[in-house]
Amino acid sequence: MRSLIALLGAVALSAFADDVSPEPLDSVPELMKTFDGREVRTAAEWESVRAPEILDCYSRNVFGVRPREAEERSRVSFKITDDREAMGGNARRKLLIAEFDGPNGKFDFPFIVFIPKSARAVPAFVFICNRPAVHMDSERNFKSAFWPAEEIVARGYATVAFQFCSVAPDDKKADFDRAVFKAAQNAAERNDESWAAISAWAWAASRIMDWIETEPLIDARHVGIVGHSRGGKTAIWAGATDKRFAMVCSNNSGCSGAKLNHICLPKSETIDAITRVFPHWFCGNYRTFAGKELDMDFDQHELLALVAPRLLCVASATEDHWAGQRGEWFAAKLASPAWELYGKKGLAADKYPEPECPQQAGFISYHVRTGKHNLTPYDWHRYMDFADMHGWKSER
Ligand code: GTR
């Protein structure tokens, strides 16, 4: 009997935990105050003081600092290995290799491009594919719903994909003396602030952007970066570090992505859990925050705010408690004042939405989709809707 009562209690408690809408805690750091307590009132102050200090904070404490040589544009070149019609004549397909001539060796990675037939340059979505390469089948024998390239092309957008492990291993046991890390830096020079896997994947997205700027069929002023989960964290970091991305789409990025840490969501991932299971995603310093989330003087709304005044999409899934859906929504909401400095609305909604009711009236889009942790055509279409709404196909 006692165990039955305990069981009923546990069921009631877990139902309750699903229904509550916790608010961020009072200790959530203030976006419009510098780390040393000065108010930020204008876009000029944001750009000259606050945004740089947030970027620096996330570089040194979370994703790591890239070696200077990795950012040198003159070290990167591109080789086209194939260029032909595809998708029954609806698209042009290009296969390319990005080649990096690093101070400590050479490194290259492949990427795939589909461009719809159009008389004018088209907008595009760069996709960080964090699933096996079969999901980005260039022959289109397997049409993955994770990267619905035909549907993207049919809506008038080009899409460019790379498989993240072709840039840096997603392996906790791998050292940093391989792949792009090795080419960019002697491993002996690494320290607790050095870049790690998420930064390397974001680096690859920026190199693809370098190529897009040279491709006349793509409109480089209208390029979004899309990633799911660990790819979503990467998309945010790519957008924070590279302003050429005009839209950032964080799909179910969760802990260390869009999810606020200063909120009590017991079912969601913590810094302790993420740095134990995936230490290779972050610089060494990040682990020192494990279990100390509520004492941190920075949080993910500040990271999201680095996208301002560009377009930001944050998306969750109803069953994805590990990603902390309400924490993702609140971070988007609390990032909004950065857009207001530019006279733009950030997230134009005051309450957490019902599933399949996207909030897209401002420059931040939020939606929650029914279902599991995944990136689906439903999510892709919301990102394309948002780009459409902002004139990405008419402004050319
Ligand atoms: C989970 C991890 C999350 C998320 C996810 C993914 O296991 O805890 O932070 O990134 O992997 O990338 O699929």
Side-chain angles (χ1 to χ4, degrees):
M1 184 63 180
R2 199 180 283 166
S3 62
L4 183 65
I5 291 169
L7 180 70
L8 289 175
V11 169
L13 202 72
S14 73
F16 178 70
D18 279 353
D19 290 335
V20 284
S21 279
E23 297 278 324
L25 303 168
D26 288 342
S27 56
V28 61
E30 281 184 52
L31 180 63
M32 289 302 159
K33 234 180 210 169
T34 61
F35 290 126
D36 62 4
R38 285 171 291 147
E39 297 279 350
V40 177
R41 295 191 185 85
T42 65
E45 286 170 356
W46 172 260
E47 284 177 18
S48 62
V49 182
R50 185 63 172 136
E53 73 168 10
I54 295 170
L55 191 63
D56 181 62
C57 167
Y58 271 86
S59 297
R60 287 187 297 102
N61 296 305
V62 185
F63 300 115
V65 179
R66 279 183 201 147
R68 189 176 34 81
E69 290 87 348
E71 308 280 9
E72 288 169 0
R73 178 69 186 81
S74 59
R75 291 182 180 275
V76 180
S77 55
F78 300 95
K79 199 160 73 196
I80 298 190
T81 56
D82 194 48
D83 184 354
R84 67 174 71 175
E85 241 186 33
M87 298 180 173
N90 292 332
R92 180 107 167 248
R93 184 198 74 178
K94 299 188 183 209
L95 303 181
L96 287 105
I97 295 179
E99 298 178 325
F100 171 60
D101 188 6
N104 202 40
K106 290 185 191 296
F107 171 75
D108 61 54
F109 69 93
F111 58 97
I112 304 170
V113 186
F114 286 105
I115 308 173
K117 285 263 171 75
S118 165
R120 295 191 299 181
V122 293
F125 288 97
V126 175
F127 178 49
I128 303 154
C129 182
N130 63 309
R131 289 197 181 156
V134 64
H135 290 276
M136 33 178 277
D137 179 15
S138 61
E139 299 304 324
R140 308 313 290 156
N141 294 324
F142 175 56
K143 296 185 180 62
S144 171
F146 194 58
W147 184 47
E150 282 74 7
E151 293 181 44
I152 300 170
V153 161
R155 285 194 61 165
Y157 291 91
T159 184
V160 187
F162 71 100
Q163 209 275 340
F164 72 149
C165 288
S166 68
V167 177
D170 189 11
D171 177 358
K172 130 187 215 177
K173 291 194 275 320
D175 57 33
F176 289 99
D177 200 13
R178 63 186 76 200
V180 67
F181 298 116
K182 182 179 171 74
Q185 187 177 40
N186 184 330
E189 288 164 17
R190 290 182 59 87
N191 58 38
D192 283 341
E193 290 189 358
S194 294
W195 66 330
I198 287 177
S199 177
W201 302 329
W203 171 87
S206 286
R207 302 299 61 87
I208 288 175
M209 193 68 212
D210 294 342
W211 172 75
I212 288 174
E213 288 186 320
T214 69
E215 171 52 68
L217 298 179
I218 299 181
D219 171 9
R221 289 168 309 124
H222 293 107
V223 175
I225 176 81
V226 181
H228 164 68
S229 205
R230 63 200 75 187
K233 305 178 214 298
T234 307
I236 297 170
W237 189 233
T241 51
D242 191 338
K243 292 204 165 81
R244 295 173 299 174
F245 290 112
M247 183 195 285
V248 173
C249 302
S250 143
N251 196 83
N252 307 178
S253 63
C255 179
S256 313
K259 190 203 78 168
L260 199 69
N261 287 313
H262 289 75
I263 189 168
C264 289
L265 295 168
K267 294 182 179 179
S268 76
E269 189 173 23
T270 61
I271 295 178
D272 178 44
I274 204 167
T275 53
R276 239 181 313 112
V277 182
F278 306 105
H280 58 288
W281 291 354
F282 307 102
C283 69
N285 282 341
Y286 197 37
R287 176 81 193 145
T288 63
F289 297 97
K292 303 203 182 106
E293 277 93 336
L294 304 187
D295 301 329
M296 287 164 73
D297 66 352
F298 61 94
D299 205 343
Q300 305 306 114
H301 60 309
E302 297 169 338
L303 176 64
L304 294 183
L306 295 179
V307 178
R310 295 166 287 154
L311 299 176
L312 170 66
C313 297
V314 175
S316 311
T318 53
E319 294 173 35
D320 191 13
H321 300 288
W322 188 238
Q325 306 95 329
R326 283 171 172 78
E328 296 184 308
W329 185 86
F330 270 111
K333 186 70 193 161
L334 293 175
S336 297
W339 276 260
E340 285 156 21
L341 290 177
Y342 294 88
K344 294 178 170 174
K345 195 90 192 138
L347 182 61
D350 293 320
K351 73 180 213 308
Y352 191 76
E354 293 296 319
E356 284 78 59
C357 293
Q359 297 172 327
Q360 299 194 299
F363 280 70
I364 301 179
S365 158
Y366 179 85
H367 74 259
V368 53
R369 165 185 53 74
T370 300
K372 294 191 192 321
H373 186 68
N374 197 0
L375 171 61
T376 70
Y378 176 86
D379 301 301
W380 277 103
H381 283 288
R382 299 301 72 76
Y383 303 145
M384 292 188 278
D385 290 350
F386 201 48
D388 285 357
M389 281 174 209
H390 287 271
W392 277 29
K393 285 186 302 195
S394 53
E395 266 179 30
R396 288 175 278 131

